[in-house]
């Protein structure tokens, strides 16, 4: 069953509220979608999020990378040669991780469809249900409290609170949210590289001293400041989660060896797809480091693939796959069932999305 054609399009979905972090503000999702066809008519689907402030990619660059560079490298290859296909995708150009991820997701979708099995079972099949957090965008304190209460009313028990835009106000923000939602709700804090190492230690220490009860702090310092993150990890009690500092297996090894973080956040848009995500998780697991699976601003297409990855792997103990929950419209049917914080896998083959119905719209 050889690959015969690769097509690229756009997928769009408005957000319920603007998504705000220390790095950017976004009002709607506008991503690349890729379709990979085989000679016998099967279609695989993947998605790429053009997060230029993190991966350096844009809509135009992703489209060019897929159409002009990646597609020619994979057409004519048998879909069951998934390791070869992944190697071809990774080797044909440098960086461009979201473009690679979109293609790899579609390839793995086809690979599982070939065996008429859900992807998560072929990747390991550890569980059928996972629980995601939901993001609280950085705003003034009153609005963040309001958004947090609304999220809890929607059934979310884990909140990922964005901070780092105005560090002087971050302690106040988190403490106000903790007071509003009560002690039963799990709070995760994501600084999105917004603090210096010394600011991070000061802020995290204040949150610890004031009883904020934070589960973890994600990427407190600039992605390149591994030494600074090591300083933060060594001088606070709260678990530190590396995100933008880890794109590759090599970077995962560096962070683990230097004890620069306690946990690692894996995102398919950073790793270039599922194969490198598997490698990072295996490295982390071998060293006793648990992983989170996260997402950029993505629709149900690529988030479904990430959900399959999470369901397959025991070492993925935290899930941040709230992309579909942030959208006011669902652009595609099928796939895992997203109901509030609960994500339930189905027995549909591949990643389970109704690709033909989407294309027929």
């Amino acid at each position: 069953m050889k690959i015969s054609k690769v097509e690229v399009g756009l997928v769009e979905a408005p957000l319920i509220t603007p998504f705000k972090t220390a790095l950017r503000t976004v009002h709607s999702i506008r991503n690349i979608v890729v379709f990979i066809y085989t000679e016998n008519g099967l279609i695989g689907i993947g998605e790429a999020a053009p997060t230029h402030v993190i991966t350096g990619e844009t809509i135009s660059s992703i489209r060019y990378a897929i159409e002009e560079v990646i597609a020619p490298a994979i057409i004519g290859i048998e879909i069951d040669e998934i390791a070869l296909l992944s190697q071809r995708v990774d080797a044909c150009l440098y960086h461009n991780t979201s473009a690679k991820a979109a293609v790899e997701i579609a390839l793995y979708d086809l690979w599982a469809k070939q065996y008429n099995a859900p992807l998560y079972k072929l990747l390991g099949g550890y569980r059928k249900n996972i629980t995601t957090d939901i993001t609280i965008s950085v705003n003034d304190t009153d609005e963040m409290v309001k958004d947090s209460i609304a999220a809890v009313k929607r059934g979310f028990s884990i909140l990922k609170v964005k901070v780092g835009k105005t560090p002087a106000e971050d302690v106040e923000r988190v403490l106000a949210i903790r007071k509003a939602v009560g002690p039963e709700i799990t709070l995760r804090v994501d600084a999105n590289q917004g603090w210096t190492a010394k600011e991070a230690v000061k802020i995290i220490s204040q949150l610890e001293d004031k009883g904020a009860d934070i589960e973890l702090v994600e990427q407190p310092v600039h992605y390149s400041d591994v030494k600074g993150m090591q300083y933060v990890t060594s001088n606070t009690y709260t678990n530190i989660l590396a995100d933008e500092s880890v794109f590759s297996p090599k970077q995962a090894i560096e962070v683990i060896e230097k004890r620069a973080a306690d946990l690692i956040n894996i995102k398919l848009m950073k790793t270039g797809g599922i194969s490198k995500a598997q490698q990072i998780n295996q490295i982390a697991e071998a060293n006793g480091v648990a992983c989170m699976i996260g997402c950029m601003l993505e629709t149900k297409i690529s988030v479904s693939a990430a959900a399959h990855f999470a369901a397959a792997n025991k070492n993925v103990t935290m899930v941040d796959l709230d992309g579909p929950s942030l959208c006011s419209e669902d652009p595609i049917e099928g796939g895992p069932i997203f109901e509030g914080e609960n994500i339930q896998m189905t027995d549909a083959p591949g990643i389970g999305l109704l690709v033909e119905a989407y294309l027929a719209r």
Side-chain angles (χ1 to χ4, degrees):
M1 191 166 69
K2 294 182 179 180
I3 295 168
S4 60
K5 183 172 63 172
V6 177
E7 290 184 345
V8 174
L10 286 174
V11 59
E12 300 184 68
L15 298 175
I16 297 172
T17 59
F19 181 85
K20 299 179 182 180
T21 73
L23 296 174
R24 59 180 180 148
T25 298
V26 181
H27 297 274
S28 64
I29 292 176
R30 189 167 184 261
N31 291 350
I32 287 287
V33 61
V34 60
F35 305 96
I36 299 181
Y37 298 77
T38 63
E39 291 174 326
N40 68 342
L42 282 183
I43 307 172
I45 188 171
E47 178 187 1
T51 315
H52 63 274
V53 294
I54 297 175
T55 67
E57 293 165 286
T58 66
I59 288 282
S60 297
S61 73
I62 292 169
R63 181 184 290 275
Y64 183 90
I66 295 173
E67 292 180 336
E68 302 297 329
V69 183
I70 301 175
I74 62 173
I75 289 175
I77 298 178
E78 297 281 348
I79 193 62
D80 60 357
E81 297 182 82
I82 191 67
L84 172 62
L85 286 164
S86 294
Q87 189 273 331
R88 284 284 188 97
V89 171
D90 183 55
C92 66
L93 75 170
Y94 195 52
H95 295 315
N96 291 275
T97 53
S98 297
K100 293 177 180 179
V103 174
E104 253 217 4
I105 289 167
L107 291 172
Y108 271 87
D109 186 29
L110 281 171
W111 177 65
K113 284 176 177 175
Q114 177 181 238
Y115 297 105
N116 198 35
L119 179 59
Y120 82 96
K121 287 189 177 181
L122 295 184
L123 293 178
Y126 179 69
R127 61 199 149 203
K128 284 197 72 170
N129 297 281
I130 55 178
T131 301
T132 182
D133 61 24
I134 191 167
T135 299
I136 306 300
S137 289
V138 60
N139 284 297
D140 64 68
T141 299
D142 290 343
E143 188 170 355
M144 292 181 73
V145 167
K146 179 182 175 182
D147 290 344
S148 299
I149 293 171
V152 172
K153 288 181 178 178
R154 289 178 63 189
F156 289 90
S157 61
I158 310 171
L159 307 182
K160 183 176 179 179
V161 180
K162 295 288 188 178
V163 295
K165 196 170 185 178
T166 50
E169 302 173 26
D170 285 338
V171 172
E172 174 194 348
R173 288 187 175 104
V174 177
L175 290 176
I177 290 170
R178 169 55 74 201
K179 182 178 179 181
V181 301
E184 296 83 12
I185 301 301
T186 299
L187 294 186
R188 297 167 178 167
V189 171
D190 185 2
N192 280 116
Q193 311 177 60
W195 300 331
T196 66
K198 288 187 177 180
E199 281 177 334
V201 170
K202 179 180 178 181
I203 291 168
I204 296 169
S205 296
Q206 288 179 355
L207 291 172
E208 291 171 346
D209 292 344
K210 294 178 183 294
D213 189 22
I214 303 304
E215 181 186 40
L216 58 86
V217 173
E218 183 173 349
Q219 199 62 47
V221 300
H222 192 265
Y223 75 90
S224 64
D225 190 10
V226 175
K227 186 175 181 180
M229 193 160 64
Q230 182 185 44
Y231 173 80
V232 177
T233 301
S234 299
N235 287 279
T236 56
Y237 294 102
T238 304
N239 283 329
I240 303 301
L241 173 69
D243 180 10
E244 289 92 347
S245 291
V246 178
F247 274 57
S248 67
K250 182 178 179 180
Q251 289 172 321
I253 292 170
E254 179 187 13
V255 165
I256 291 169
E257 286 183 340
K258 293 183 176 179
R259 298 185 181 181
D262 304 290
L263 309 160
I264 291 175
N265 190 359
I266 297 171
K267 294 177 180 175
L268 301 185
M269 296 300 122
K270 292 188 305 173
T271 63
I274 292 168
S275 58
K276 289 289 179 68
Q278 291 279 68
Q279 291 176 34
I280 291 171
N281 184 57
Q282 289 163 359
I283 290 165
E285 187 170 19
N287 286 276
V289 174
C291 291
M292 172 187 282
I293 182 67
C295 62
M296 305 298 193
L297 276 177
E298 304 166 34
T299 73
K300 195 176 182 182
I301 298 171
S302 53
V303 173
S304 291
H308 278 270
F309 173 81
N313 289 288
K314 178 182 178 180
N315 193 56
V316 178
T317 62
M318 299 157 289
V319 177
D320 176 32
L321 297 178
D322 59 353
S325 299
L326 301 176
C327 296
S328 60
E329 298 175 8
D330 189 350
I332 191 166
E333 299 177 20
I337 300 168
F338 290 78
E339 292 182 341
E341 68 176 7
N342 300 306
I343 304 175
Q344 180 180 346
M345 311 311 294
T346 73
D347 290 326
I351 59 177
L353 300 173
L354 301 180
V355 182
E356 287 79 5
Y358 179 77
L359 287 168
R361 293 193 313 175

